[in-house]
Amino acid sequence: RSEAWAGTPGCTRVPLSTSPFIAMLALLASGSTALTVGVAPSTARSTRAVSQPAMSSSDRCAVWVVGCGVPKRGMGWYHAKQVIEGDVPNAAVTAVVEPWFLGAGADSPPGKAFAEWAEAMEEKGVAFCDSVDAVPVAEGERTLALISGRTAD
């Protein structure tokens, strides 16, 4: 724990090793407008502090991962994993849109790996859709679409 951030109300500490993407997603999910990056003066350990107001569970940010990719290989999958594991406070993956592995690529070896992961994530309440139009939309819920694809796409 850094002395520089100790006792700061509404401030969540995120290790500097956390990807910039996750730090920004945490900022968006929190509804805050402040992101502070700094090094604690008393230690060599660095921290990113994301200022967060107190939020109820109804203030969460729904995250749709569009273009998830292969589990343990795709960047979209990795970001979904980070959110699902709680690395982003007040954010929850509610949908994954993956047209290839839920369509023509379903029978491929990577498609079968995707299907196994999808089955496990459906138990956690994540919807899997082959298009954005098929994603269930909750009225009044803040939503962030995380679009992840290969450069060629």
Side-chain angles (χ1 to χ4, degrees):
R1 188 170 170 156
S2 159
E3 286 181 30
W5 309 115
T8 305
C11 188
T12 299
R13 285 164 267 328
V14 181
L16 188 58
S17 61
T18 302
S19 75
F21 164 77
I22 291 299
M24 290 305 295
L25 187 55
L27 176 68
L28 290 171
S30 73
S32 177
T33 58
L35 176 67
T36 306
V37 179
V39 178
S42 62
T43 68
R45 183 179 169 156
S46 300
T47 59
R48 267 191 195 104
V50 179
S51 179
Q52 283 185 219
M55 299 182 79
S56 69
S57 60
S58 65
D59 289 333
R60 77 174 183 158
C61 180
V63 178
W64 300 352
V65 179
V66 181
C68 184
V70 181
K72 299 185 180 177
R73 287 182 23 207
M75 208 64 220
W77 170 85
Y78 185 71
H79 290 319
K81 176 184 177 292
Q82 290 173 310
V83 175
I84 289 166
E85 290 180 351
D87 290 350
V88 182
N90 299 331
V93 174
T94 58
V96 171
V97 178
E98 182 49 66
W100 177 250
F101 292 128
L102 293 172
D107 292 329
S108 67
K112 291 176 182 174
F114 179 84
E116 288 176 21
W117 177 73
E119 185 177 329
M121 293 304 103
E122 284 176 333
E123 293 172 5
K124 295 182 179 204
V126 179
F128 284 79
C129 307
D130 62 358
S131 73
V132 172
D133 290 336
V135 175
V137 178
E139 185 69 32
E141 185 172 53
R142 293 183 319 159
T143 304
L144 177 114
L146 187 159
I147 302 171
S148 180
R150 298 175 301 168
T151 304
D153 292 343

